[in-house]
Amino acid sequence: MESFAVFVPRLVPQKDYLAPGHRACIGCGEALALRLVMKALGRNVIVSNATGCMEIISSPFPTTSWRVPWIHTLFENAAAVASGIEAAQKIMNEKGSRTNMAKVVAMGGDGATLDIGIQALSGAWERGHDMLYVCFDNEAYMNTGIQRSSGTPFGAATTTSPAGKVSIGQSTWKKNMPSIAVAHDIPYVATACPSYPFDLMEKVNKAVATKGPSYLHVLSPCPTGWRHGGDLSVKMGRLAVETGVFPLYEVVNGKYKLTVDFPKLRPVTDYLTPQGRFRHLPKDEVERIQKGVIREYEKLKKKVEA
Ligand SMILES: Cc1ncc(C[n+]2csc(CCOP(=O)(O)OP(=O)(O)O)c2C)c(N)n1
Ligand code: SF4
Ligand SMILES: [Mg+2]
């Protein structure tokens, strides 16, 4: 008997809550990620947005790309502002002056999240606010000129970790922010990438349906800072996942699950070679990165199997 593959249509919501016409660079993976996050969130949301590329490109006075209530916060306090919004809504609801409870979402770049805003975020998680925090990780302080952050990967050249005779670029390993979130014992933590749009949107939906704090760490390819063609952003995200550099997983109440897995990882050179920020790396440093990626992937697999 002939067998037919069952075609299951998966539809992306048509409505955009981040309007087009913003000023992101051509091929910006972070703007694509934000657009998908906003599609999944829908209209009933209040956004607290740290200073960074996504705030800069979306709100040049007197215009705005935001079709939902949106607050531009400082670089360091998006999570604190979101905590206040969530607490205020709760009180208003208890007193009967507000019955429509909007989803509360804070967002920021890797600099805003892993470095300068980590204290505000850790406090919000410890207090247990019912809110989602989304980190758009393009692995450097991009909007101010590609300075390194603690999210910049080992070996990458940035303007403050330049590659040259005495330096191979970033000399430290990327901070593992999802693990830091898990260590706070919050109920939902996940990694995502706009190159896997359905996986990303499903995680947004799960995160906001979770009672309590949730965290989404989104790898966001940045052609300007990573120095690859604007047409390669989606491919770069896919290669990050297929090489094991950025695995896609979720942690629900402490239980790890890979949401995309491969029987065999591709070599990291597939991911590193097309990017100008890694082009200076000698063979032995590439091998060091390859070993580091396999080591981390195996550690993650053990957590999944535990
Ligand atoms: C206290 C403070 N220090 C520095 C800045 C300048 N500043 C604004 S955004 C930014 C970098 C943002 O980097 P990131 O959070 O990674 O977002 P990206 O631009 O990469 O999306 C910096 C250094 C600031 N606004 N406030
Ligand atoms: S610098 Fe990078 S993240 Fe920022 S708007 Fe340009 S491509 Fe996007
Ligand atoms: Mg950044």
Side-chain angles (χ1 to χ4, degrees):
M1 199 172 97
E2 224 175 323
S3 68
F4 295 94
V6 180
F7 176 66
V8 183
R10 296 195 291 175
L11 301 176
V12 176
Q14 276 196 330
K15 185 88 186 147
D16 275 310
Y17 295 96
L18 177 79
H22 54 66
R23 298 180 184 189
C25 311
I26 291 172
C28 174
E30 195 161 310
L32 175 60
L34 175 58
R35 183 177 173 211
L36 293 168
V37 167
M38 295 312 299
K39 273 181 184 288
L41 285 172
R43 193 168 178 275
N44 192 25
V45 61
I46 301 173
V47 176
S48 162
N49 188 185
T51 290
C53 271
M54 290 307 97
E55 167 269 321
I56 298 282
I57 60 107
S58 64
S59 61
F61 184 80
T63 64
T64 179
S65 295
W66 295 90
R67 291 174 170 153
V68 296
W70 173 83
I71 300 174
H72 168 207
T73 70
L74 298 176
F75 191 17
E76 61 271 38
N77 69 346
V81 170
S83 306
I85 297 166
E86 188 261 2
Q89 273 204 126
K90 225 188 232 157
I91 290 291
M92 287 164 89
N93 186 256
E94 274 166 29
K95 291 186 172 172
S97 60
R98 185 180 176 94
T99 47
N100 169 30
M101 300 287 275
K103 296 163 208 154
V104 179
V105 178
M107 50 181 72
D110 47 297
T113 309
L114 281 58
D115 291 342
I116 195 166
I118 195 168
Q119 177 252 14
L121 182 53
S122 175
W125 285 339
E126 187 255 321
R127 293 188 300 273
H129 291 279
D130 188 12
M131 60 184 240
L132 165 64
Y133 189 101
V134 185
C135 172
F136 294 107
D137 182 4
N138 55 13
E139 303 192 316
Y141 294 16
M142 292 303 179
N143 90 89
T144 43
I146 323 177
Q147 294 90 13
R148 54 112 16 229
S149 76
S150 58
T152 304
F154 178 85
T158 70
T159 53
T160 49
S161 60
K165 280 192 188 137
V166 292
S167 159
I168 52 120
Q170 174 88 337
S171 58
T172 54
W173 295 92
K174 186 179 177 72
K175 188 186 280 184
N176 189 338
M177 192 63 198
S179 286
I180 293 172
V182 172
H184 283 74
D185 250 341
I186 61 174
Y188 189 83
V189 175
T191 62
C193 177
S195 307
Y196 295 79
F198 293 104
D199 181 77
L200 185 153
M201 287 190 290
E202 200 181 318
K203 285 169 176 168
V204 172
N205 289 331
K206 278 190 189 172
V208 289
T210 302
K211 195 95 195 97
S214 49
Y215 178 66
L216 200 57
H217 192 104
V218 185
L219 184 75
S220 306
C222 165
T224 306
W226 295 12
R227 293 193 279 129
H228 59 71
D231 56 335
L232 290 182
S233 294
V234 170
K235 191 170 176 194
M236 281 306 124
R238 285 202 163 265
L239 286 170
V241 177
E242 290 170 13
T243 54
V245 166
F246 189 83
L248 295 181
Y249 62 93
E250 61 183 7
V251 190
V252 183
N253 295 316
K255 177 85 190 111
Y256 279 76
K257 181 186 158 199
L258 277 166
T259 57
V260 176
D261 197 6
F262 305 96
K264 193 170 180 307
L265 296 176
R266 290 173 74 141
V268 285
T269 43
D270 289 2
Y271 174 66
L272 302 180
T273 308
Q275 300 181 51
R277 63 178 175 157
F278 295 118
R279 211 157 284 154
H280 59 281
L281 286 176
K283 224 173 152 196
D284 57 331
E285 295 296 353
V286 170
E287 272 164 23
R288 195 160 151 193
I289 293 172
Q290 179 68 77
K291 280 188 188 142
V293 166
I294 289 174
R295 190 176 58 237
E296 288 304 309
Y297 202 81
E298 281 172 0
K299 256 172 40 190
L300 179 63
K301 281 258 190 182
K302 280 204 180 107
K303 288 182 189 169
V304 171
E305 285 153 14

